């Protein structure tokens, strides 16, 4: 009976049962493997996203801390404890209001005694009430020259703060003469924690190396976990632990750079049930899809195999050809069904890609030509020779843009009464926008210079003229102006955000000296008030004044090291006294480029060297004799 029943089955039925057994089992195995693989991949992706969010927050906090520390490091070069109390207080007050995150500035002398205290505008009405200073960090700064930051605490006004301690060195950078202690508001860190996880269902908080809570994102009703050791084990940054409300949590930890034993860590946590809800949903969806594919495969695969496999093979070959860049490859259309339509569409796509590639190449060529022309025009705007007698003041400048066009510039101007002016500037940013603002700033400065006598007045007028346009584009311009007297025996300098000028003394009766001139000010275009100070420096024949942009001292090499002020100062001090200014500029640029090596240019490089020419004293007045003596000099 069983044999007779089996014999009555058709060949089609036998094939169907055979295909069912031979196809379904492998499909189920592959589906199970795919589902398991998907679960693991999705789980890893969920953990990776958790870690990426923690890394993002720690990177933002590290950038904030780096910006604050850079402001304080630059200020530490200006705050000299041997200054007068009034000057020191003025510098400290200027530093206190330079950033909205700085609350108070305290300057200690070499014995650790407080000599100056200044506060930000927000604390002016609260009276002098500095918080207690971190004695351990101050001791480390005085004894070993090591800066640091304290833990986050609560200020007198109930706001989160922390202290940053920076050692103050003398002008030569050899001796520690004091300590700069800045009280910094942690509100920005709290804001970073809150905004990054807002709307994600996650909670972000900051802990110290002892896993103690420092700051959280302000989530209502959230309780800190009691034990974070699973994510603080060696080599582990993601793990499971019990949260403060006894829920199973997935947490990711990311230390805030620079990573050391005292580093803070950002922790991002979320309940396991919420984090993996999409994982479970994807697994269920894939399981249903596998089942559906299995049914469809059993229904249609064998009937359509011969008709589908061959056209798909051609499509696959065509796709591989396009992937290899053969955009002229076309597929032969052998049918009028969907596969034939797909082949036709594929050929049309290849045709459009080929045309698009030609257009892109043409556009890139036009863009390259335009940028090359813009670079030539921009270089042509820079003066080649000064508009004054070279026997009075020799000068040489050079600018190397980091990209096709840059934002650095310099200018030579002949002023009334025989005076000469030199200006150097750096527009924030790079590219075409910086180049356009560079041309506007340079022309505006040259037009203002002929009506004003002092460089500080020039900068103030330039600030008032350009501030609306610069602020509208969220940019600023750093500019320095140096005005030489008619006999080139002195120079008056005003600075708006540029690197301090470097003066190399070459007087025969004195040893060779090289030092930066302390003169500074806020860049042009900032929303703050435009007050610029100026200094007048006497010059002797042979003294060299070097004006430079930050692209020199901030040049990076492949190891991430920067060229720095010390290396520049040492190089200039070691140059021969009789070296011409153009040779001095070329040697400095060559040194910077050799240091950078193959590293990508960090910023535009611009440098100017000026030197009064040695002349004989004219005791006979004007006339041919005086001219002859001047020519001899």
């Amino acid at each position: 009976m069983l044999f007779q029943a089996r014999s009555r089955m058709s060949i089609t039925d036998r094939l169907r049962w055979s295909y069912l057994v031979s196809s379904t089992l492998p499909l189920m195995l592959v589906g199970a493997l795919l589902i398991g693989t998907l679960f693991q991949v999705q789980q890893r992706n969920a953990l990776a996203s958790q870690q990426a969010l923690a890394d993002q927050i720690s990177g933002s906090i590290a950038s904030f801390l780096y910006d604050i520390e850079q402001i304080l490091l630059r200020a530490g070069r200006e705050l000299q404890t041997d200054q007068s109390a009034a000057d020191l207080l003025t510098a400290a007050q200027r530093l206190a209001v330079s950033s909205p995150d700085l609350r108070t500035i305290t300057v200690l002398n070499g014995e650790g005694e407080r000599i100056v205290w200044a506060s930000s505008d927000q604390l002016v009405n609260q009276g002098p009430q500095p918080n207690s200073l971190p004695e351990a960090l101050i001791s480390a700064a005085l004894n070993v020259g090591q800066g640091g930051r304290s833990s986050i605490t609560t200020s007198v006004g109930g706001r989160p703060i922390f202290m940053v301690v920076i050692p103050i060195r003398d002008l030569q950078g050899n001796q520690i003469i004091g300590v700069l202690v800045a009280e910094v508001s942690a509100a920005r860190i709290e804001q970073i924690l809150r905004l990054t996880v807002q709307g994600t269902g996650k909670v972000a908080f900051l802990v110290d190396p002892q896993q103690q809570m420092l700051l959280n994102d302000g989530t209502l009703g959230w309780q800190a976990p009691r034990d974070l050791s699973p994510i603080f084990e060696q080599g582990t940054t993601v793990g499971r632990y019990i949260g403060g409300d006894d829920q199973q949590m997935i947490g990711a930890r990311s230390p805030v750079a620079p990573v050391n034993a005292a580093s803070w860590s950002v922790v991002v946590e979320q309940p396991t049930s919420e984090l993996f809800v999409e994982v479970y949903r994807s697994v269920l969806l894939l399981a249903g899809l596998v089942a559906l594919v299995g049914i469809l495969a059993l229904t249609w695969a064998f009937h359509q195999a011969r008709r589908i496999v061959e056209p798909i093979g051609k499509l696959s070959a065509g796709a591989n050809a396009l992937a290899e860049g053969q955009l002229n490859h076309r597929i032969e259309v052998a049918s009028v069904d969907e596969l034939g339509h797909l082949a036709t569409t594929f050929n049309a796509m290849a045709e459009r890609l080929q045309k698009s590639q030609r257009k892109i190449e043409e556009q890139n060529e036009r863009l390259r030509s335009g940028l090359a022309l813009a670079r030539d025009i921009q270089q042509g705007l820079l003066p080649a020779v000064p508009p004054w007698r070279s026997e009075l003041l020799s000068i040489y400048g050079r600018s190397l843009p980091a990209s096709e066009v840059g934002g650095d510039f310099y200018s030579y101007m002949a002023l009334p009464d025989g005076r000469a002016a030199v200006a150097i500037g750096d527009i924030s940013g790079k590219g075409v926008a910086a180049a356009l603002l560079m041309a506007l700033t340079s022309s505006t400065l040259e037009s203002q210079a002929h009506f004003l006598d002092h460089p500080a007045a020039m900068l103030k007028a330039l600030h008032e003229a350009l501030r609306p346009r610069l602020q509208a584009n969220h940019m600023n311009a750093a500019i320095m102006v140096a005005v030489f007297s008619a006999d080139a025996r002195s120079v008056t300098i005003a600075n708006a955000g540029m690197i301090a000028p470097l003066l190399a003394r070459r007087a025969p009766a004195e040893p060779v000296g090289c030092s930066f001139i302390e003169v500074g000010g806020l860049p042009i275009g900032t929303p703050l008030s435009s007050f610029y100070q100026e200094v007048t420096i006497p010059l002797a024949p042979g003294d060299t004044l070097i004006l430079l942009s930050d692209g020199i001292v901030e040049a990076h090499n492949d190891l991430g090291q920067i060229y720095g002020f010390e290396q520049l100062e040492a190089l200039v001090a070691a140059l021969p006294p009789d070296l011409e200014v153009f040779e001095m500029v070329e040697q400095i640029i060559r040194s910077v480029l050799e240091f950078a090596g193959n590293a990508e240019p960090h910023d535009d490089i611009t440098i100017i060297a000026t030197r009064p020419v040695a002349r004989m004293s004219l005791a006979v007045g004007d006339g041919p004799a005086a001219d002859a003596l001047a020519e001899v000099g």
Side-chain angles (χ1 to χ4, degrees):
M1 294 288 295
L2 181 59
F3 176 77
Q4 290 179 351
R6 287 182 176 177
S7 65
R8 286 195 298 268
M9 293 178 62
S10 65
I11 295 177
T12 302
D13 293 333
R14 293 177 186 177
L15 288 174
R16 288 174 179 174
W17 283 104
S18 176
Y19 290 147
L20 178 64
V21 173
S22 61
S23 301
T24 303
L25 290 179
L27 180 63
M28 293 302 176
L29 291 176
V30 171
L33 178 62
L34 186 60
I35 291 172
T37 303
L38 176 65
F39 179 79
Q40 295 179 2
V41 170
Q42 291 277 39
Q43 190 176 32
R44 285 198 298 268
N45 289 342
L47 297 178
S49 67
Q50 193 89 331
Q51 182 65 59
L53 188 59
D55 293 340
Q56 177 187 349
I57 296 174
S58 68
S60 300
I61 294 175
S63 298
F64 164 70
L65 295 175
Y66 175 82
D67 292 340
I68 291 295
E69 291 171 358
Q70 288 302 305
I71 292 174
L72 298 177
L73 285 173
R74 288 192 294 269
R77 303 187 185 101
E78 300 179 1
L79 295 172
Q80 297 296 309
T81 56
D82 55 357
Q83 291 177 309
S84 67
D87 291 343
L88 196 58
L89 179 59
T90 300
Q93 289 174 338
R94 185 167 59 248
L95 174 59
V97 299
S98 64
S99 171
D101 301 299
L102 292 176
R103 289 171 54 85
T104 65
I105 298 297
T106 303
V107 180
L108 310 179
N109 59 18
E111 289 73 35
E113 299 173 349
R114 180 182 299 169
I115 55 177
V116 166
W117 179 84
S119 65
S120 64
D121 292 339
Q122 295 87 342
L123 302 179
V124 167
N125 297 327
Q126 300 181 18
Q129 46 181 353
N131 292 278
S132 59
L133 302 180
E135 300 297 335
L137 295 178
I138 293 174
S139 177
L142 289 173
N143 296 329
V144 299
Q146 178 181 353
R149 60 175 178 265
S150 69
S151 179
I152 296 179
T153 59
T154 302
S155 69
V156 176
R159 297 187 178 184
I161 61 166
F162 61 96
M163 301 285 187
V164 177
V165 178
I166 301 294
I168 300 176
R169 299 180 181 273
D170 57 14
L171 294 177
Q172 291 74 28
N174 299 325
Q175 184 178 0
I176 299 173
I177 60 175
V179 176
L180 172 62
V181 182
E183 180 182 310
V184 184
S185 171
R188 183 76 62 87
I189 299 177
E190 188 177 25
Q191 183 183 34
I192 291 171
L193 294 172
R194 182 176 63 258
L195 294 181
T196 308
V197 300
Q198 191 172 24
T200 64
K202 305 177 187 293
V203 176
F205 53 93
L206 194 67
V207 297
D208 62 15
Q210 290 74 39
Q211 307 174 23
Q212 298 299 315
M213 177 68 59
L214 296 176
L215 200 63
N216 62 62
D217 61 6
T219 300
L220 296 177
W222 176 80
Q223 299 179 15
R226 292 180 289 273
D227 183 15
L228 293 173
S229 58
I231 62 174
F232 276 85
E233 296 176 357
Q234 184 69 25
T236 302
T237 58
V238 180
R240 300 171 184 259
Y241 56 84
I242 302 300
D245 55 355
D246 296 328
Q247 276 189 295
Q248 185 77 19
M249 295 286 181
I250 296 292
R253 172 180 63 90
S254 179
V256 178
V259 179
N260 53 47
S263 294
W264 299 340
S265 292
V266 172
V267 179
V268 176
E269 70 172 18
Q270 188 175 14
T272 306
S273 57
E274 296 179 8
L275 183 63
F276 289 153
V277 64
E278 292 297 329
V279 176
Y280 300 140
R281 186 176 302 167
S282 299
V283 169
L284 291 176
L285 179 62
L286 181 60
L289 183 61
V290 169
L292 178 61
V293 169
I295 295 174
L296 293 176
L298 289 173
T299 305
W300 296 99
F302 304 110
H303 178 67
Q304 298 292 338
R306 187 177 298 276
R307 296 181 56 191
I308 295 177
V309 169
E310 185 176 354
I312 288 181
K314 293 181 180 180
L315 286 172
S316 178
N320 290 333
L322 290 183
E324 293 173 358
Q326 302 175 21
L327 299 183
N328 58 348
H329 182 83
R330 299 294 181 269
I331 297 176
E332 181 182 355
V333 180
S335 62
V336 293
D337 57 6
E338 290 81 357
L339 289 174
H341 178 68
L342 181 60
T344 303
T345 305
F346 184 91
N347 291 338
M349 179 189 68
E351 181 70 24
R352 288 193 294 269
L353 286 175
Q354 194 171 14
K355 291 181 181 179
S356 298
Q357 185 186 40
R358 287 195 295 267
K359 291 182 179 179
I360 291 173
E361 290 175 351
E362 293 172 358
Q363 291 174 355
N364 287 341
E365 183 60 32
R366 288 196 298 269
L367 181 60
R368 283 192 293 268
S369 300
L371 288 176
L373 178 60
R375 182 187 182 98
D376 293 340
I377 294 174
Q378 186 181 38
Q379 290 296 317
L381 295 176
L382 302 178
V385 294
W388 58 72
R389 294 181 303 159
S390 60
E391 63 269 15
L392 177 67
L393 181 68
S394 60
I395 188 169
Y396 181 75
R398 190 174 176 193
S399 180
L400 300 177
S403 56
E404 286 80 2
V405 291
D408 283 9
F409 70 92
Y410 60 88
S411 179
Y412 309 149
M413 295 165 285
L415 303 181
D417 302 327
R419 295 174 299 133
V422 179
I424 184 172
D426 182 1
I427 307 299
S428 61
K430 302 191 206 77
V432 177
L436 292 174
L437 286 176
M438 161 264 184
L440 174 63
T441 304
S442 177
S443 61
T444 306
L445 174 62
E446 291 179 359
S447 65
Q448 295 284 353
H450 293 285
F451 302 100
L452 301 171
D453 294 331
H454 299 283
M458 298 178 190
L459 293 180
K460 180 176 179 60
L462 192 64
H463 176 79
E464 297 299 329
L466 297 181
R467 178 169 57 180
R469 297 188 181 183
L470 291 171
Q471 290 185 1
N473 295 280
H474 304 288
M475 301 178 73
N476 57 66
I479 301 174
M480 181 186 299
V481 179
V483 177
F484 293 84
S485 61
D487 57 0
R489 297 298 176 88
S490 66
V491 60
T492 302
I493 304 171
N495 188 5
M498 290 293 294
I499 297 294
L502 183 61
L503 179 62
R505 296 287 189 182
R506 291 294 188 271
E510 300 177 4
V512 175
C514 181
S515 62
F516 287 93
I517 300 174
E518 295 296 333
V519 57
L522 295 176
I524 300 296
T526 59
L528 301 178
S529 59
S530 58
F531 172 76
Y532 301 102
Q533 61 179 353
E534 58 185 33
V535 296
T536 300
I537 305 298
L539 296 177
D543 290 350
T544 303
L545 181 66
I546 300 175
L547 313 180
L548 64 153
S549 66
D550 55 5
I552 295 231
V553 296
E554 295 180 1
H556 287 66
N557 60 14
D558 293 328
L559 301 178
Q561 301 168 331
I562 63 173
Y563 191 79
F565 292 90
E566 293 79 6
Q567 187 168 345
L568 173 63
E569 193 171 354
L571 172 64
V572 174
L575 293 176
D578 57 348
L579 199 65
E580 296 293 338
V581 290
F582 80 91
E583 295 176 338
M584 178 179 291
V585 169
E586 294 298 333
Q587 287 209 26
I588 293 174
I589 292 179
R590 188 182 306 114
S591 173
V592 173
L593 295 179
E594 290 176 354
F595 173 83
N598 297 324
E600 190 74 16
H602 176 72
D603 199 355
D604 302 336
I605 292 177
T606 303
I607 181 171
I608 304 172
T610 63
R611 177 185 298 161
V613 178
R615 299 181 301 158
M616 295 179 60
S617 176
L618 300 181
V620 294
D622 299 330
D627 294 339
L629 289 175
E631 291 295 332
V632 173

